[in-house]
């Protein structure tokens, strides 16, 4: 009878760092063996077949890559509301005027075990009809994450956003902003795992679709402390996203992943501040916000490791509460208005730090 080590060696898999103790099951066609043994001094369960030898722990960990890609793409869209459109009244122009702008957000997404970058670029415009100002924007989002086991995910998406800024009571400075967006994109996923002591990868590029709704109330200049103007607000956001089912290519242990869908609802309370910087025409702007996510965890991820077993992994727990601080400048620059704000969050389902910039013309 051929040993497991010999069978693997004949099929191109090195197993010199393994001491196999017992095979607990063999598939009906004899192509797959599961069991346990000593690996690098640790007691490990394993799965072995032609061109594949992996610990169950490593395989299970790597299967999270698909879910992490979906979550990363959803966070990139949250930057649209929390970044480029986090101060909607700054886009307001007078009745009968049009406006156009360019905006961008660039930052790091490194809360908890996350390790990646995130960004957004947008072009938009609007017109103030008097009773309401209507804005439309189109943009591109991107995000990448480095994960344990040499897994990587790259998310890219396009969105269309529409919003209306409506005076509720101009005498008291009350303004409502309502709107929504639709988005579509792709997640490039490279799932990494150790295969017979060598780094291996399986990959796929599933499509994503998302939409979101927003309702916000601003109390503009509710408090004035000397030259400092303070404006509180509340902001309610709902988002729904979907990642299509997909089958991986390449690698010794490709998998098939079921469709993944998730919905989130975030409520934010905050205050904005504005203070003139002498005669420069610029104001120091600030933002202090607290946010709460009503959902406790993200969507689960299910599927099938090709030829082996089905899996159903729970979604990651959310940090439901976090705070955000923003500090920057805004003012007249040439023919338009420029703004630049550095943002940071304490934890949670937003990027850890990002820089938001925009340039706006009114005509």
């Amino acid at each position: 009878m051929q040993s497991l080590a010999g069978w693997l060696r004949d099929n191109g898999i090195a197993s010199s760092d393994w001491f196999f103790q017992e095979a607990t099951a063999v598939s009906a066609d004899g192509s797959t063996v599961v069991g346990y043994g000593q690996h690098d001094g640790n007691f490990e369960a394993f799965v072995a077949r032609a061109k594949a030898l992996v610990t169950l722990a490593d395989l299970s960990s790597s299967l999270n890559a698909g879910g992490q890609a979906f979550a990363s793409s959803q966070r990139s869209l949250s930057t649209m509301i929390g970044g480029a459109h986090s101060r909607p009244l700054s886009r307001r122009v007078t009745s009968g005027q049009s406006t156009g702008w360019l905006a961008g957000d660039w930052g790091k997404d490194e809360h908890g075990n996350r390790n990646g970058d995130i960004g957004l670029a947008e072009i938009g415009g609007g017109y103030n009809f008097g009773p309401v100002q209507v804005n439309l924007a189109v943009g591109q989002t991107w995000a990448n994450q480095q994960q344990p086991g040499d897994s990587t995910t790259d998310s890219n998406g396009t969105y269309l956003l529409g919003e209306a800024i409506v005076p509720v009571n101009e005498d008291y400075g009350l303004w409502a902003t309502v709107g929504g967006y639709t988005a579509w994109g792709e997640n490039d996923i490279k799932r990494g795992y150790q295969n017979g002591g060598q780094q291996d990868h399986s990959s796929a590029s599933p499509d994503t679709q998302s939409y979101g709704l927003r309702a916000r109330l601003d109390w503009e200049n509710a408090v004035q402390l000397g030259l400092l103007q303070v404006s509180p607000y509340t902001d309610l956001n709902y988002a729904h996203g979907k990642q299509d089912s997909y089958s991986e290519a390449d690698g010794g242990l490709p998998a098939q992943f079921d469709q993944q869908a998730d919905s989130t609802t975030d409520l934010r309370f905050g205050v904005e501040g504005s203070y003139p910087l002498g005669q420069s025409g610029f104001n120091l702007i600030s933002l202090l916000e607290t946010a709460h996510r009503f959902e406790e965890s993200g969507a689960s991820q299910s599927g099938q490791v090709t030829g082996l077993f089905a899996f159903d992994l729970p979604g990651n727990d959310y940090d439901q509460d976090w705070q955000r601080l923003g500090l920057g400048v805004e003012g007249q620059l040439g023919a338009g208005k420029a703004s630049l704000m550095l943002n940071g969050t304490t934890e949670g389902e937003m990027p850890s730090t990002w820089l938001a910039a925009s340039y706006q013309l009114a005509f």
Side-chain angles (χ1 to χ4, degrees), residues 34-352:
V34 296
Y36 61 88
Q38 296 287 330
H39 176 238
D40 288 339
N42 298 313
F43 185 77
E44 299 272 12
F46 68 84
V47 176
R49 66 184 184 191
K51 298 183 180 180
L53 171 62
V54 64
T55 69
L56 284 178
D58 191 30
L59 179 58
S60 297
S61 176
S62 76
L63 292 173
N64 281 312
Q68 293 299 327
F70 178 51
S72 181
S73 66
Q74 294 303 102
R75 281 193 300 276
S76 69
L77 287 170
S78 73
T79 309
M80 173 180 53
I81 298 298
H85 289 266
S86 63
R87 301 173 56 246
L89 295 190
S90 68
R91 304 267 190 246
R92 195 176 74 241
V93 293
T94 60
S95 178
Q97 272 195 318
S98 299
T99 183
W101 65 83
L102 295 172
D105 291 74
W106 302 269
K108 305 295 290 184
D109 186 16
E110 296 183 337
H111 283 315
N113 60 2
R114 307 199 301 258
N115 178 25
D117 304 308
I118 203 162
L120 171 154
E122 176 183 288
I123 182 170
Y127 182 78
N128 191 328
F129 293 91
V132 59
Q133 177 173 326
V134 176
N135 296 330
L136 297 173
V138 59
Q140 187 81 19
T141 62
W142 62 90
N144 64 73
Q145 282 286 320
Q146 302 289 325
Q147 296 171 243
D150 200 39
S151 294
T152 61
T153 61
D154 291 287
S155 304
N156 293 278
T158 302
Y159 66 84
L160 291 172
L161 177 144
E163 65 183 10
I165 303 173
V166 184
V168 177
N169 188 318
E170 289 190 70
D171 293 336
Y172 286 94
L174 294 175
W175 297 84
T177 302
V178 294
Y181 67 84
T182 182
W184 59 97
E186 182 179 84
N187 289 335
D188 292 325
I189 303 168
K190 187 172 74 170
R191 183 172 62 86
Y193 45 90
Q194 288 290 311
N195 184 359
Q198 302 295 318
Q199 186 65 54
D200 203 357
H201 298 92
S202 298
S203 59
S205 297
D207 292 332
T208 60
Q209 303 87 39
S210 304
Y211 69 86
L213 301 171
R214 178 195 202 180
R216 173 175 168 129
L217 183 65
D218 284 88
W219 188 1
E220 189 177 38
N221 302 332
V223 177
Q224 182 138 357
L225 303 172
L227 298 178
L228 174 64
Q229 295 176 325
V230 180
S231 304
Y233 63 87
T234 183
D235 201 333
L236 180 65
N237 298 273
Y238 171 81
H240 177 81
K242 179 180 73 172
Q243 179 172 266
D244 288 350
S245 61
Y246 64 94
S247 296
E248 294 177 322
D250 308 318
L253 287 162
Q256 174 270 320
F257 291 78
D258 298 331
Q259 182 188 95
Q260 196 172 15
D262 198 18
S263 298
T264 58
T265 307
D266 296 341
L267 180 62
R268 297 177 170 89
F269 297 97
V271 290
E272 296 179 10
S274 179
Y275 188 88
L277 295 173
Q279 304 300 314
S280 66
F282 277 80
N283 292 334
L284 180 67
I285 55 174
S286 60
L287 182 152
L288 182 61
E289 177 181 274
T290 185
H292 175 74
R293 174 161 293 186
F294 290 92
E295 294 78 13
E296 296 182 357
S297 61
S300 62
Q301 176 71 80
S302 60
Q304 172 88 29
V305 180
T306 307
L308 289 179
F309 54 81
F311 60 88
D312 190 350
L313 304 173
N316 291 333
D317 291 337
Y318 288 135
D319 288 321
Q320 290 182 270
D321 300 287
W322 65 90
Q323 288 72 46
R324 171 188 170 194
L325 175 65
L327 188 64
V329 293
E330 182 176 72
Q332 196 71 23
L333 183 65
K337 180 175 69 174
S339 70
L340 187 70
M341 178 178 278
L342 180 63
N343 301 270
T345 56
T346 57
E347 57 184 357
E349 305 310 311
M350 285 286 289
S352 46

Side-chain angles (χ1 to χ4, degrees), residues 25-33 307:
V26 180
S27 64
D29 62 2
S31 65
T32 304
V33 178

